[in-house]
Amino acid sequence: MLGAGSWGTTFGKVLADGGAHVTMWSRRPEQAEEIRQAHRNTQYLPGINLPRQMTATSHLADALEGADQIYLSVPSQALRENLAAVRPLVAASDAPIVSLMKGVEKATGMRMSQVIEEGLQCDPARIAVASGPNLALEIAREQPTAAVISSTSQATAEAVALRARNRYFRTFVNTDVIGTEFGGVLKNLIAVAIGIVDGVGYGENTKASIITRGLVEMTDFAVAQGAHPETLQGLAGLGDLIATCQSPLSRNNTAGRLLGQGVTLPDVIKQMQQTAEGLASVAPVLQLAREVGVEMPIVEQVKMVLDGTMDPRDIAPHLTTDDDKPTGERTQNGQAGGRGALWRSIQRALDQFRDGGRRPSGD
């Protein structure tokens, strides 16, 4: 397990409680020492006892030696530089590489599995991603929950799912990596919006409206990128959205709440002990949305608040069209008339077919 923050340590506990022997890698020797000797990680999981099957080291080579499965839980914007150190150490390995991260690379707009594939130059069939309604502290307290493991290889997804399960943690599988990853990314952006309106003092009607319309934006975006719409109705989409938006344990919700209370973005970042991935993902997600012609008005408003060009009190879920013409509430990918994300995906495929496959294909 590369990364010993709250989620990495919690997932290490999940694996150990399922019978695996887990080696945590921490950049800080003192943190590795505490996990190894005291079986605690007091900075990130106060009050939680870690299993005896968990050990830790600050030496990357020691952590990776002989690993059957490799899990990555580092900040998304630091993934590429970490992979540069990992690559020579796993060159001879065929172990599955599992991403626990929920973000997109700011410089490239790439999903984490894409960064892993490029950074390690490995077969994408070796890569899996884990997602779902997974608030770390609740799971560390062994409260029952579920997650989904996704890989383009059904065999890889199943191998990881068999390891990542125990009496309180259940895993399902799918092969829709795009939908699973974007579900985990996009719900963070909606959670920031929920935090903002919570900080402003708006009530449950506003929050319910934003969650519902936010799921529409998530689905339209993901389908336009090649995801299956049903994935966004599952654990990686709706499930994660509900958990992240309604819980004070959510870092993205907390960041949004501080913004809604008038704290500036630089000060929010200073106050956060851990990374709120949604803050870094807003701009690249909106760029990707523009490229495929998907409107994301709630996420646009979040960006305006982050940029300081919108008063948090003005954020509103009803700003979903450019005019006052009444519109249906179904997702774009479910609407008739050729305007939906699904139709655009089909149209691009038809255009490529007519061009004899000369256009570059997406995922």
Side-chain angles (χ1 to χ4, degrees):
M1 177 68 67
L2 305 189
S6 61
W7 185 220
T9 306
T10 296
F11 211 90
K13 181 180 186 303
V14 166
L15 293 165
D17 285 341
H21 293 277
V22 179
T23 300
M24 305 290 301
W25 172 75
S26 170
R27 190 180 297 276
R28 294 187 290 113
E30 65 274 14
Q31 185 184 38
E33 178 73 10
E34 183 188 29
I35 294 172
R36 185 170 62 250
Q37 297 295 336
H39 296 283
R40 291 287 189 101
N41 188 346
T42 52
Q43 179 179 356
Y44 294 110
L45 294 177
I48 300 298
N49 293 318
L50 301 176
R52 293 289 174 181
Q53 300 96 305
M54 287 179 69
T55 186
T57 178
S58 59
H59 301 289
L60 188 59
D62 292 344
L64 291 168
E65 185 178 2
D68 293 323
Q69 295 183 358
I70 300 166
Y71 292 77
L72 302 174
S73 184
V74 298
S76 59
Q77 305 311 313
L79 174 60
R80 192 176 291 272
E81 65 178 88
N82 279 283
L83 292 175
V86 170
R87 183 178 174 183
L89 300 173
V90 300
S93 171
D94 60 356
I97 311 291
V98 187
S99 168
L100 304 181
M101 298 157 291
K102 298 177 179 179
V104 293
E105 191 174 45
K106 196 170 184 178
T108 65
M110 294 172 71
R111 292 176 282 109
M112 295 295 97
S113 66
Q114 293 174 308
V115 177
I116 293 169
E117 180 183 352
E118 185 172 278
L120 296 184
Q121 291 293 297
C122 68
D123 184 346
R126 282 179 58 194
I127 301 170
V129 300
S131 196
N134 301 147
L135 296 166
L137 188 56
E138 290 186 3
I139 298 172
R141 291 171 175 164
E142 302 184 6
Q143 296 180 14
T145 192
V148 61
I149 306 296
S150 182
S151 174
T152 57
S153 163
Q154 182 78 17
T156 297
E158 291 179 356
V160 173
L162 284 171
R163 285 282 193 181
R165 65 195 311 171
N166 57 47
R167 60 182 175 78
Y168 59 85
F169 193 85
R170 172 69 188 272
T171 46
F172 296 81
V173 299
N174 72 41
T175 55
D176 182 13
V177 176
I178 297 173
T180 300
E181 283 194 288
F182 273 132
V185 171
L186 299 170
K187 60 86 189 181
N188 284 335
L189 314 189
I190 306 305
V192 173
I194 292 295
I196 291 171
V197 302
D198 203 25
V200 166
Y202 293 152
E204 300 308 317
N205 291 334
T206 305
K207 288 186 276 189
S209 299
I210 290 178
I211 289 172
T212 305
R213 297 307 303 168
L215 181 60
V216 171
E217 292 187 20
M218 290 169 57
T219 304
D220 287 340
F221 177 94
V223 169
Q225 299 291 336
H228 303 305
E230 57 267 26
T231 303
L232 278 297
Q233 314 306 315
L235 290 165
L238 179 59
D240 204 0
L241 179 65
I242 293 170
T244 308
C245 286
Q246 63 87 37
S247 174
L249 295 175
S250 163
R251 301 172 222 166
N252 294 284
N253 186 300
T254 299
R257 189 164 59 253
L258 291 170
L259 289 165
Q261 292 169 350
V263 181
T264 64
L265 180 57
D267 287 339
V268 168
I269 294 172
K270 288 179 184 177
Q271 288 189 39
M272 299 291 292
Q273 288 189 345
Q274 299 185 67
T275 303
E277 296 284 11
L279 300 180
S281 298
V282 170
V285 163
L286 285 175
Q287 179 58 39
L288 291 171
R290 295 185 192 106
E291 291 172 3
V292 294
V294 172
E295 296 179 356
M296 303 188 78
I298 294 174
V299 180
E300 290 277 7
Q301 291 176 33
V302 169
K303 186 176 189 302
M304 292 168 68
V305 172
L306 293 177
D307 293 343
T309 59
M310 173 183 276
D311 188 312
R313 289 187 171 275
D314 293 334
I315 194 168
H318 62 273
L319 298 179
T320 55
T321 60
D322 294 329
D323 55 45
D324 291 330
K325 182 180 178 181
T327 60
E329 70 166 352
R330 296 173 63 189
T331 65
Q332 292 179 31
N333 68 76
Q335 290 177 350
R339 293 174 296 168
L342 180 58
W343 174 254
R344 287 192 294 273
S345 297
I346 295 172
Q347 191 63 55
R348 286 197 299 272
L350 290 172
D351 290 343
Q352 184 177 339
F353 179 76
R354 281 195 292 269
D355 290 345
R358 290 188 294 274
R359 296 187 181 189
S361 61
D363 290 324

